[in-house]
Amino acid sequence: MTTKYTPTIATEIIQEYSAAPEMLVQILHAFVARFAYLSDEAIRQISLELNLSRADVHGVVSFYHDFRTEPPGEHIVKICVAESCQAMGSRELTAQVEEKLGIKIKETTDDGQVTLEPVYCLGNCACSPAIMIDEKVYGRVDASKLDGLIEKCGG
Ligand code: FES
């Protein structure tokens, strides 16, 4: 469950990590877990409180695929694009969802229902290809199973 960003909550999170610049990645993860994404305001506050330049923080944010900078949709669909899942067809699954929803990976549908994201291994390689929808992992996903799951998300 995510909460709306406030500077007070943001400061509390930063203080949990002693406002230490070397904890930047962990702080960014904590922000995304709490606020769902990193707003410009959040990045500004993190850079000020850690005494880092905004460019430094942006550099780290853009390096990691986990750090989204836009509010996500109601449902987050993550398709594993790591080796085992790719070998078992995750590229085709991605293309299928993109086509069905009319968005590209890392985008959100216009109605705000679904955000499509890549993920690099869900620890479910034995049941490739794997996807995750709203924190729930599904294995051995084929085209028809995927269709059903996306429809449940309102897609
Ligand atoms: S490679 Fe997809 S779950 Fe591990």
Side-chain angles (χ1 to χ4, degrees), residues 84-101:
S84 171
C85 288
Q86 253 196 50
M88 295 301 284
S90 70
R91 270 202 202 125
E92 290 77 5
L93 295 180
T94 302
Q96 183 186 335
V97 180
E98 287 179 334
E99 163 110 38
K100 189 172 177 70
L101 297 177

Side-chain angles (χ1 to χ4, degrees), residues 80 82 84-85 121-125 130:
C80 178
S84 171
C85 288
C121 195
L122 290 164
N124 198 35
C125 318

Side-chain angles (χ1 to χ4, degrees), residues 19-57:
E22 63 272 21
M23 299 305 283
L24 175 60
V25 171
Q26 286 86 338
I27 291 169
L28 293 170
H29 275 296
F31 267 56
V32 172
R34 190 67 181 264
F35 306 122
Y37 74 107
L38 294 157
S39 63
D40 284 344
E41 199 181 356
I43 289 174
R44 195 174 317 118
Q45 183 171 355
I46 290 168
S47 65
L48 279 173
E49 295 200 24
L50 296 188
N51 205 17
L52 293 168
S53 74
R54 248 190 281 174
D56 285 340
V57 179

Side-chain angles (χ1 to χ4, degrees), residues 18-151:
S18 309
E22 63 272 21
M23 299 305 283
L24 175 60
V25 171
Q26 286 86 338
I27 291 169
L28 293 170
H29 275 296
F31 267 56
V32 172
R34 190 67 181 264
F35 306 122
Y37 74 107
L38 294 157
S39 63
D40 284 344
E41 199 181 356
I43 289 174
R44 195 174 317 118
Q45 183 171 355
I46 290 168
S47 65
L48 279 173
E49 295 200 24
L50 296 188
N51 205 17
L52 293 168
S53 74
R54 248 190 281 174
D56 285 340
V57 179
H58 270 294
V60 174
V61 168
S62 55
F63 183 77
Y64 292 93
H65 63 85
D66 280 347
F67 299 144
R68 68 177 79 88
T69 53
E70 300 286 336
E74 190 72 23
H75 301 285
I76 300 174
V77 175
K78 296 185 182 206
I79 299 183
C80 178
V81 295
E83 198 174 340
S84 171
C85 288
Q86 253 196 50
M88 295 301 284
S90 70
R91 270 202 202 125
E92 290 77 5
L93 295 180
T94 302
Q96 183 186 335
V97 180
E98 287 179 334
E99 163 110 38
K100 189 172 177 70
L101 297 177
I103 56 173
K104 290 288 176 200
I105 200 134
K106 295 190 173 174
E107 291 180 353
T108 299
T109 53
D110 287 343
D111 63 3
Q113 276 302 300
V114 182
T115 295
L116 180 60
E117 294 181 341
V119 64
Y120 298 85
C121 195
L122 290 164
N124 198 35
C125 318
C127 297
S128 297
I131 71 168
M132 183 161 83
I133 300 180
D134 301 333
E135 307 301 320
K136 185 163 182 208
V137 175
Y138 299 86
R140 298 201 174 96
V141 178
D142 60 16
S144 83
K145 186 171 176 178
L146 181 62
D147 238 14
L149 290 168
I150 297 300
E151 270 159 29

